[in-house]
Amino acid sequence: MIRGWLAVAVFAGLVAMLAFGLTRDPSRVSSPLIGLPVPAFQAERLASADEHFDSTALRGEWSLLNVWASWCTTCLEEHELLMRLSQQLALYGINHRDTRDEARNWLQVYGNPYRASAFDEYGEVGIELGVYKVPETFLLDPDGVIRYKHVGALDEEAYQEQILARIREGRP
Amino acid sequence: MIPELGHFALVLACVLAGLQAFLPGWGTQRGNPTWMRSASSLALGQGLLVLLAYLALTWAFIEHDFSVRYVANNSNTELPLAYRISGVWGGHEGSLLLWSLVLSGWTVAVVALSRRLPMLFRARVLAVLGFVSLGFLAFMLATSNPFDRLIPAAMQGRDLNPLLQDPGLVIHPPMLYMGYVGFAVAFAFAIAALWGGQLHAAWARWTRPWVTAAWMFLTLGIGLGSWWAYHELGWGGWWFWDPVENASFMPWLVGTALIHSLAVTEKRNTFKRWTVLLALLAFSLSLLGTFLVRSGVLVSVHAFANDPARGVYILGFLALVVGGGLILYAMRAHRIESSGHFELLSRETLLLFNNVFLLIATFAILLGTLYPLIVDVLGLPSMSVGPPYFNLVFLPLMLPLLFLAAVGPVSRWKKTRARELLRRLQVPLVLALAIGTAVPWAAFGSTSALVLAGTMLGVWCISGPLVALWRQFSRMRRGTSAGYSLRHLPRHMVGMTCAHAGLGVIALGIAFTTAFSMERELVMNEGDSVAFAEHEFVFRGVQEVDGPNYRAQQGHLSVYRDGEPIVDLRPEKRTYLVQSSPMTEAAIYSTVWRDVYAALGVAQPGGGWGVRLYVKPFIQWLWGGALLMAFGGLLALSDRRYRYRRKRRRT
Amino acid sequence: MKRATAWGFCLLFAGSACLAVDEAADERYRNLLYELRCLVCQNQSLADSDAELAGDLRRRVQDLIDQGMSDKEIIAHLQARYGDFILYRPPLAWRTAALWASPFVLLALTAWLLLRRIRRGHARASGSLSDVERERLKDVLKRGSD
């Protein structure tokens, strides 16, 4: 009855896989952009419609590209951390599907951690970056290559384990 | 006070289930008849207590007892009575209670209807059922108690999920659970046989009616679920290959295979091990479905609140029950001997291939449902497996099955001759070719390979079994009157004909509705009219309507066909007051030949309303076919063989 | 007559075997949307979803159609940004080989084994059949889990 036992073993494998599945969030989508240069896009700056935000300029140092909006309540959860990080890291924003007035007002009230924010009124830039759930944060290496993407509010743990670890690794 | 009584009843039921799981089983090991006999009274007591608990929860719903957390989360003072009663199974905890109630119901039925079974066997069956029941009752008490109090009590309830406030949803879950859970009986019969290490010829005859009954309910449940999705989701679709649908469809496919293989085991005393394995598999897939739906490992429309502890528990229980069953199978299956010879062209072979196609289809659905998870385990990028995959893989497996559905009934056991098959299938063949080509052309002026295949196989699958039935009828008529023969046709055969015909009807429905449905999405202003698919739609505007617990914007469309008014459709966009989610309530005018379906979209900024219109030919045939299949199951259940047994029992 | 019947069977099967997919040109947009999964309401297609992202993506699809891109190119465009997840129809690739092929490989294998067994021994005695069957279950479960 080796075959019967094999069936049992195979079933055990199935159970193990389902158990692993319990530890995962099935709605999380991995990004195909990891390891690729950040997509080239140009957008108006949030601060002024005359100035341009050019993604190809995001190189030369490690930087974070954070997708945010004034209507996004989860963004407030990570805001404090971002404010702190802005002291140590180049932090850029993409203001997603927002209005200029509300976005600027939001930054005034809660503080502006960004060196600059692109103004993505219709979500066009969001599509280029594969954004599906604001906030999202991309880690870019000095060559402008996307190394990591965090979906949802960034927290200290994710920062330490995912972002800082990668930056340290990249600078031997 | 009453919720506490309910809770207490549940605890007692759990204790009785524990006793029922171990006492009779221990009795069979020790040869103690008193312990073995205790199973019946324990099962009855347990059933009564679960029923009490269930009624207590229903009472809490009816009386708006918002000090019960589950009621506060799933009801509201404005909720109509019918939905308060069905709201009991509108969430995770209550639907588990329904699960347990249904299982107790099946167990009591086994107690009542299987007095003639050998005492050992019967005690083992009831012990296995008690064990399954114990698992679910303990699960409920440990992680999902529906009687948990909310202190202080809520002033108002959060209302039942608006998606569930639909007549279809009132009867869909009970039917579905009757099916799912009903396979527990077949499972218990299989375990009892393996436990005893022997499977005698009568086993298949004992098991058959239980499987047929569960299958009948599952057929109804799935049909109702599809009907509900068609009505309530507002997209005009009737099957989405959502993990929840797959979870109910897989046990159905395996249950269908089991019905066919049981027929072989009963009639020819062969395929025994395979049949036992299928009986284990059908209920295993029911449990797997329960896990998939309630653990949150997959993304699905059915969002039961997910709690990791629940997932872990169900998975553990699944591993215990299915793993235990498989281990027992591995240890004992070699003791089961099959006999019965058959040739390549025989009914046995045809039924074997029926099983092959059904099982491979089940495998494909399981694979597609779990593949995103597999990919995740391997660390590959996230992916989706959606309807295009399932349609592409499922269809080629179903077409041969439809083909076999007409050949099987006219074939003979052991050995059948090709020439004889061809002769008996001449009429179905001619009908299939003639109707399959002529009807799509005549009715719709066009045809495609899919329609051609669907129509021909549909007609084929309806007419083949009818020919077999007709042969039986003519044979019987020789001695007696037509009326007598008609009344005394073997019911299982009439049932089978009905079920196969139902399958054919579904095939026709799918072919026509897939190929010839028309869809328009447009913006309409008051007075606008649009003509398409031989209908003219005039938009008469939108008005506000108040329901008991919602406000709605109700559109008004007059529909004309050939210049004659046929119906006024009033699709609604509802906003339920408590959960404030917008709901689309489609308006549907159904006839045998086509449905006219309208759904109201959102008001446009520039004036006018978004409107979705569909004309869907033959779509009601889907549910008509499902009903016919279930009716076939009912007829098979009323077969004389089972009645005789009951009569003999009374004397 | 016999030959005619046999031909009839062939026709019946041929008709059912090949599935033509007729796509009228004006339905391209809609058909594409039904093939694409919304990443916000993850159980809805882009055609059905009311999410804002679905609206943006619908507009993008329309733009790309207007730019004269083929369906293939549009799908590649979205796949490059959102990955395989956005495709309801899994792409043919090594990572999906097991998904697409195994049901049919399994079918062929089972059919072959069964037919061989039945023909050889006319299913002489007990073990032979269910052995094959168990073999199959083993495969079913194995492929389900790897």
Side-chain angles (χ1 to χ4, degrees), chain B residues 307-628:
Chain B
D307 171 353
R310 291 177 188 163
V312 172
Y313 187 104
I314 307 182
L315 189 60
F317 187 62
L318 175 86
L320 196 62
V321 172
V322 179
L326 284 178
I327 289 173
L328 191 62
Y329 180 82
M331 284 163 43
R332 294 290 170 84
H334 64 278
R335 292 202 200 167
I336 297 169
E337 296 281 325
S338 283
S339 58
H341 305 208
F342 59 94
E343 304 216 344
L344 190 58
L345 198 55
S346 62
R347 186 177 277 195
E348 285 93 328
T349 308
L350 290 167
L351 285 170
L352 195 58
F353 273 84
N354 150 296
N355 272 225
V356 169
F357 286 116
L358 284 169
L359 263 283
I360 299 232
T362 311
F363 165 72
I365 294 174
L366 184 66
L367 184 69
T369 309
L370 294 182
Y371 208 76
L373 191 59
I374 299 174
V375 156
D376 195 22
V377 170
L378 298 179
L380 294 167
S382 332
M383 63 175 290
S384 305
V385 180
Y389 169 81
F390 291 108
N391 289 334
L392 256 162
V393 174
F394 192 67
L395 208 59
L397 293 171
M398 282 303 106
L399 294 177
L401 197 67
L402 281 164
F403 177 78
L404 291 181
V407 186
V410 299
S411 64
R412 287 176 193 273
W413 295 111
K414 277 172 95 168
K415 181 180 180 176
T416 193
R417 287 180 194 287
R419 191 187 303 161
E420 190 181 42
L421 275 186
L422 288 180
R423 204 181 53 237
R424 290 181 184 175
L425 286 169
Q426 268 168 14
V427 175
L429 185 67
V430 170
L431 282 176
L433 288 177
I435 299 178
T437 46
V439 168
W441 218 286
F444 302 101
S446 78
T447 189
S448 69
L450 176 65
V451 181
L452 211 62
T455 322
M456 288 196 301
L457 284 172
V459 173
W460 169 254
C461 179
I462 295 169
S463 50
L466 273 173
V467 166
L469 193 66
W470 174 256
R471 281 175 42 81
Q472 173 78 18
F473 175 68
S474 334
R475 212 177 310 141
M476 288 170 67
R477 253 193 78 178
R478 267 173 226 148
T480 56
S481 74
Y484 179 88
S485 327
L486 205 58
R487 272 199 309 281
H488 286 78
L489 274 173
R491 287 285 177 82
H492 69 272
M493 200 171 167
V494 186
M496 180 270 286
T497 308
C498 250
H500 283 206
L503 185 66
V505 168
I506 292 177
L508 290 175
I510 292 177
F512 286 128
T513 198
T514 310
F516 302 120
S517 280
M518 304 281 261
E519 177 181 348
R520 273 294 149 79
E521 201 179 343
L522 70 170
V523 173
M524 292 185 98
N525 285 296
E526 204 170 316
D528 278 1
S529 77
V530 56
F532 89 106
E534 297 170 28
H535 289 74
E536 194 188 354
F537 299 82
V538 182
F539 192 63
R540 306 262 185 224
V542 170
Q543 59 177 15
E544 299 276 334
V545 183
D546 283 347
N549 54 346
Y550 61 85
R551 320 200 62 160
Q553 283 147 336
Q554 189 185 60
H556 180 186
L557 286 145
S558 299
V559 185
Y560 300 85
R561 187 180 168 86
D562 303 327
E564 298 289 318
I566 55 168
V567 69
D568 277 1
L569 292 177
R570 297 175 193 277
E572 292 180 359
K573 191 99 201 160
R574 288 183 185 170
T575 308
Y576 282 81
L577 298 176
V578 181
Q579 301 200 345
S580 73
S581 43
M583 294 289 309
T584 306
E585 192 74 18
I588 303 170
Y589 173 69
S590 302
T591 64
V592 175
W593 305 114
R594 71 188 67 79
D595 274 18
V596 181
Y597 185 117
L600 192 65
V602 288
Q604 300 296 311
W609 286 78
V611 178
R612 275 190 188 189
L613 302 170
Y614 304 81
V615 174
K616 295 188 157 286
F618 280 72
I619 189 154
Q620 293 296 330
W621 288 46
L622 294 175
W623 302 297
L627 267 179
L628 202 55

Side-chain angles (χ1 to χ4, degrees), chain A residues 12 29 46 60 62 85 93 116 124 132 144 150 162-164 167:
Chain A
V29 182
L46 178 63
W62 287 88
L85 292 185
E124 294 287 328
Y132 70 97
H150 186 85
Q162 303 293 347
I163 292 177
L164 211 54
I167 294 178

Side-chain angles (χ1 to χ4, degrees), chain B residues 111-192:
Chain B
V111 169
L113 296 174
S114 57
R115 297 223 175 86
R116 298 283 291 196
L117 293 186
M119 188 165 57
L120 268 173
F121 184 81
R122 188 161 181 259
R124 285 173 178 150
V125 165
L126 289 174
V128 174
L129 287 172
F131 186 76
V132 173
S133 181
L134 172 67
F136 276 87
L137 288 170
F139 175 47
M140 212 183 320
L141 289 169
T143 70
S144 329
N145 182 4
F147 297 106
D148 263 353
R149 286 289 193 176
L150 185 66
I151 295 171
M155 294 303 290
Q156 180 56 285
R158 282 200 232 148
D159 206 3
L160 182 63
N161 180 352
L163 268 175
L164 306 183
Q165 299 188 29
D166 179 89
L169 245 277
V170 173
I171 35 176
H172 158 66
M175 288 296 145
L176 199 65
Y177 285 18
M178 289 287 282
Y180 257 29
V181 182
F183 286 135
V185 180
F187 178 84
F189 274 62
I191 295 286

Side-chain angles (χ1 to χ4, degrees), chain A residues 10 27 97 124 128 131, chain C residues 42 56 60 81-82 141-142:
Chain A
V10 167
S27 67
R97 288 185 132 274
E124 294 287 328
E128 294 306 315
V131 170
Chain C
Q42 294 187 351
D56 292 349
R60 175 66 64 98
R81 286 155 183 77
Y82 287 96
L141 290 173
K142 193 155 79 192

